[in-house]
Structures are given as structure tokens and as C-alpha cells.
Amino acid sequence: MSHFRLHDGVLHAEAVALNTIAAAVGTPAYVYSAAALRDAARAFRAGLAAVPRKHLAFAVKANPNLAVLRLLADEGYGADIVSGGEMLHALAAGMPASGIVFSGVGKSGRELAAALDAGIGQFNLELEEEGVVLAALAATRGVRAPAVLRINPDIDAQTHAKISTGRRENKFGVAVADAAGIYARLAALDGLDLRGIAIHIGSQIADLAPLEQAYERVGRLIAELRAAGHAISHVDLGGGLGVSYRAGEIFPTPAAYGAMVARVTRDWDATLMFEPGRFIAGAGGVLLTEVLWVKPGVPRPYVIVDAAMNDLARPALYDAFHEFAAVRPSGARICANIAGPVCESGDTFAMARDIDEVAAGDLAVFLTAGAYGATMASTYNCRALVAEVLVDGDRFAVVADRILPEAMMTAQHVPHWLQHHHALEAA
Ligand code: LLP
């Protein structure tokens, strides 16, 4: 059930009318529903009920807001991180270090050292050299770093090319053919507690078949590694489960995913780890925006909203579809293009879309924007960094301030040799 619904003709997040939030916080603003986040977190866990030993690590990249992470920590989720910054967020939100998994193809020595010092729970190694560096850093600290080796199964997840990660030509993981050799060399290092395998083949996956194939490949590799004498206790199956962005789209349920996982991993005898991002956060957020103008256009009008590609990059980057809905729909519909104020034609959210009729001053939302929304925002065109709000029942709070150009400028500096007068006088 969606927690963004009409009550008395006004779109609400749970019990809070979105116009109330716009009046208090301004627009554009992301609005998250705590109930929706909890529902998804619980549904994902329930889907995996048949998996006896598991660890759920929310992919922080999908939504690193501290309030969101705190809520998920309360749901028993750890974190999948890909940078020192994400580690800081997860720790600050109260996630225990032991529940944090460090993924990512380009961890720096400094990040690896900081993660060791913080005592994070597992390093997902992307290449042999990374394991060698990590082992040396751990040895100088007198510890053994818990680690798994990420493999690239060369499987097409059949998703958008920019978010596919499990094909041979992608930058992630080591080739299956090389895995046993690399594993043996890394397992011999004192500084590593090499304990298993990781995989992640892509995001917004709509079909379980490629995931199943990839997991089967992992199963064969586990058997091979065990036969060679390695103890495999942990297998990280990554994230990737997609969500529906359009009414009527059918996606695998957590129950179907869990049934597939339970079947394929039946004999693995290992702790399974999961890194869902979009499934947990996607449906839990909307981007609230105000219509600035309805501009006549050929062959149809442009609805110009105050949110732009810098606030929600997904349509411009991946041609992603986000449903658009008026906060106070009249019932009338129009066919329009929807665009933001940024000076690029790519700053277009939709073309020739059948939408609620809106006029200047109306509020509207882009739906399913809780994952890969605010976190991918920028300040392009010297726009403010978008604000974020969390609704929980009839309460709401600003969980990320709008960062204004005035604040951004305090981090910029004109060097002393350029601080002469005539430029100012000419103004
Ligand atoms: N684990 C690893 C190693 C990943 O690289 C990712 C996502 C995840 C887990 C979480 O995947 P999810 O469950 O959210 O599909 N910005 C893009 C998505 C990029 C995903 C990158 N990696 C978008 O807006 O569609």
C-alpha cells in the first residue's frame, strides 16, 4: 500500500498534507515516508525468512540521509558502503561497525585504513592488489581483515547499461576464471581473513533469471574453493531487486526473490549477505515541486517546475521514468512536457506525458524518488542543494537543510593575487 495518497482531494505523505510541508519547508524538497521505508525493510526481510543465517546491509548510496539510516538501523539493517564518507554516515546514524560491508571498485589506502580502524565488518575485494594492500594495512595493526572476493559472473542483468555491473566488460569484480587462483593467493596472507565471495550484477533488475544464473555460478565456485581446502562462511549476494516506477509494471516480489535464493543456496551452509538499496528506499520518497509556469510549446505545452535535473538526475542520466502527480488534482488531464529551470534541454523530466492538469503555483510530485534521488543532487546552475523531509505518522521534520548558494560560497575563495580593485569598480 502506498503511503502517498489523496485525502480530501489533497496528496498526503501518511497523515501530513504535502502543501503543509511545502509551506513550511519550501520547494523543491524530497519527502520520505517512515512507514513506507519500514514496510519495505520488513517485506525484504520477510521474503528471506527461509534463509537461516543472513545479514541485511542497506546500500547507503541509495539514500545516505542520517534519519533514513537511523530508521533502518532500528529495523536491524547494517550498511553497504562504497566510500569513507558513506562509512561516516552509517556510523553517525548508529549502525554498528561490525554490520558494515565495504564495497567499491576504488577504495583508497586511506579509506581502507580508516575502515580497519573503525572495525568495519567486511571488505568486499574487487581485485587482487586491493587484497594485498588491505592485508598489509591490517598486519601493521595486528588484525586480520574480514574479506570476501567479488567476482564478475559475466551475466547480463538486462537493465540500463549505466547500472549494469556484472558483465565481463564492466569494471567490477574479478573474472570467474581467475577467481580460484586469486582466492588462493589472498587466502595465504596473514592480514586477511578471507571468508567467501561477493557478487552484484546490476540495479533495477526486473527478472529473477539473471540473478539466479549468477548465484548458481557462485555456487559452483564455492564448491570448487571448498574442494581446494578453503573455508567459505560468507556469501554476499548484492542488491539489485527492482521496483515499479509506472503503474501496472510487475516486478519480482521479495517473496519470489527469497524463494529463488533459498532454492539456489539450499546446500551452501554459509551466512548470506544482501545489499538492497532501491527496493528499500525507492517507493519511500517523492520529490515535491511547484509549477512555475505552463509555457505554450510546439506541439504541446511545457510544464516548468522548480525542481530540475540537479535535484533529480535520473531522467536526464538514464531516461528514467518518474510518475508526476498534482498535489490537488482537479481530475482534468493534459498532455505536456515537464521540464526544470536548468539551462539544458536534457533538463526534461518527461515528454508528451499524460498528466494531471496543473497551473502556475500548483504543487506536484515526482513519485518513487526515495532512492538515488537526493543523494545524486548537485548545485549545478548555482541552485540550492535540495532539502529533505521525513514524515512519520502525523509528524514531520526537516532531515536535510536546503543548502543555499550563500552557504556554498563560503567554501569558495578568490586567491589574493586576483583580489585587485578594478573588476569590482567596473561592476
Ligand atoms: N551493492 C553494490 C555493490 C552496488 O553497486 C549497488 C548499486 C547496490 C548494492 C544496490 O543496488 P540496488 O539494490 O539499489 O539496485 N544511480 C542508479 C543506480 C546505481 C546503482 C549502483 N550500485 C539509478 O538511479 O538507477
Side-chain angles (χ1 to χ4, degrees):
M1 181 195 74
S2 173
H3 293 280
F4 298 95
R5 282 191 303 169
L6 290 171
H7 297 292
D8 299 327
V10 181
L11 192 62
H12 283 58
E14 303 188 36
V16 181
L18 289 177
N19 53 303
T20 305
I21 293 176
V25 179
T27 53
Y30 281 89
V31 180
Y32 307 126
S33 155
L37 294 167
R38 290 190 191 104
D39 280 0
R42 289 172 194 178
F44 191 81
R45 185 184 293 284
L48 293 167
V51 174
R53 302 199 305 282
K54 56 182 168 283
H55 175 66
L56 306 184
F58 174 63
V60 171
K61 63 174 78 68
N63 191 326
N65 185 276
L66 292 177
V68 170
L69 297 182
R70 168 59 66 94
L71 182 154
L72 293 173
D74 288 345
E75 292 295 319
Y77 277 69
D80 164 55
I81 60 165
V82 292
S83 71
E86 288 191 352
M87 180 177 85
L88 291 179
H89 280 238
L91 292 172
M95 285 174 165
S98 61
I100 298 178
V101 176
F102 199 168
S103 303
V105 72
K107 310 179 196 75
S108 69
R110 187 190 296 240
E111 286 174 319
L112 290 172
L116 279 172
D117 292 338
I120 72 136
Q122 179 173 293
F123 294 83
N124 290 8
L125 303 175
E126 291 268 359
L127 71 167
E128 181 166 359
E129 290 79 354
E130 184 191 11
V132 173
V133 169
L134 177 64
L137 288 167
T140 63
R141 287 164 171 77
V143 297
R144 299 183 74 210
V148 299
L149 181 64
R150 178 169 178 181
I151 61 155
N152 181 322
D154 192 20
I155 281 173
D156 186 350
Q158 275 153 29
T159 182
H160 191 285
K162 286 185 184 162
I163 55 175
S164 171
T165 52
R167 283 179 303 180
R168 190 171 53 183
E169 62 270 29
N170 296 138
K171 66 183 174 181
F172 300 99
V174 304
V176 178
D178 303 333
I182 294 173
Y183 201 97
R185 290 191 291 280
L186 290 179
L189 300 177
D190 282 340
L192 288 188
D193 169 19
L194 194 61
R195 62 187 199 179
I197 294 293
I199 195 170
H200 171 79
I201 63 169
S203 194
Q204 184 58 1
I205 298 174
D207 178 4
L208 294 177
L211 283 168
E212 179 162 355
Q213 270 179 47
Y215 296 170
E216 275 167 354
R217 208 156 282 189
V218 171
R220 290 197 291 277
L221 180 61
I222 294 172
E224 188 186 333
L225 292 172
R226 282 184 172 148
H230 300 294
I232 305 293
S233 60
H234 290 73
V235 183
D236 188 333
L237 296 179
L241 198 59
V243 300
S244 158
Y245 284 88
R246 302 174 197 245
E249 268 178 348
I250 305 294
F251 272 79
T253 61
Y257 174 71
M260 180 276 282
V261 168
R263 176 161 41 78
V264 175
T265 66
R266 198 172 41 232
D267 304 322
W268 285 13
D269 186 25
T271 296
L272 299 186
M273 309 172 81
F274 299 89
E275 305 171 345
R278 190 188 316 265
F279 184 83
I280 305 298
V286 300
L287 174 58
L288 179 60
T289 187
E290 185 181 314
V291 176
L292 296 175
W293 312 103
V294 179
K295 182 177 186 246
V298 180
R300 65 191 75 82
Y302 269 96
V303 172
I304 312 282
V305 295
D306 70 354
M309 64 189 285
N310 71 297
D311 304 303
L312 177 63
R314 303 192 69 259
L317 262 183
Y318 319 114
D319 297 315
F321 182 100
H322 286 268
E323 201 81 60
F324 179 85
V327 167
R328 289 176 186 275
S330 68
R333 309 281 294 177
I334 52 168
C335 182
N337 306 327
I338 310 168
V342 160
C343 293
E344 295 200 27
S345 294
D347 183 24
T348 301
F349 293 105
M351 294 297 279
R353 184 83 73 80
D354 175 43
I355 56 170
D356 291 327
E357 184 174 49
V358 286
D362 286 355
L363 294 168
V365 292
F366 292 101
L367 292 165
T368 327
Y372 307 108
T375 186
M376 292 176 69
S378 76
T379 59
Y380 185 40
N381 278 202
C382 292
R383 288 166 54 83
L385 202 60
V386 62
E388 297 166 77
V389 172
L390 180 72
V391 172
D392 198 349
D394 59 3
R395 292 178 293 190
F396 72 93
V398 174
V399 293
D401 293 337
R402 190 180 310 285
I403 302 184
L404 298 171
E406 291 87 332
M408 298 298 302
M409 279 193 292
T410 64
Q412 296 190 10
H413 312 286
V414 177
H416 67 84
W417 68 88
L418 289 178
Q419 292 183 4
H420 43 72
H421 292 293
H422 60 260
L424 296 175
E425 283 161 7

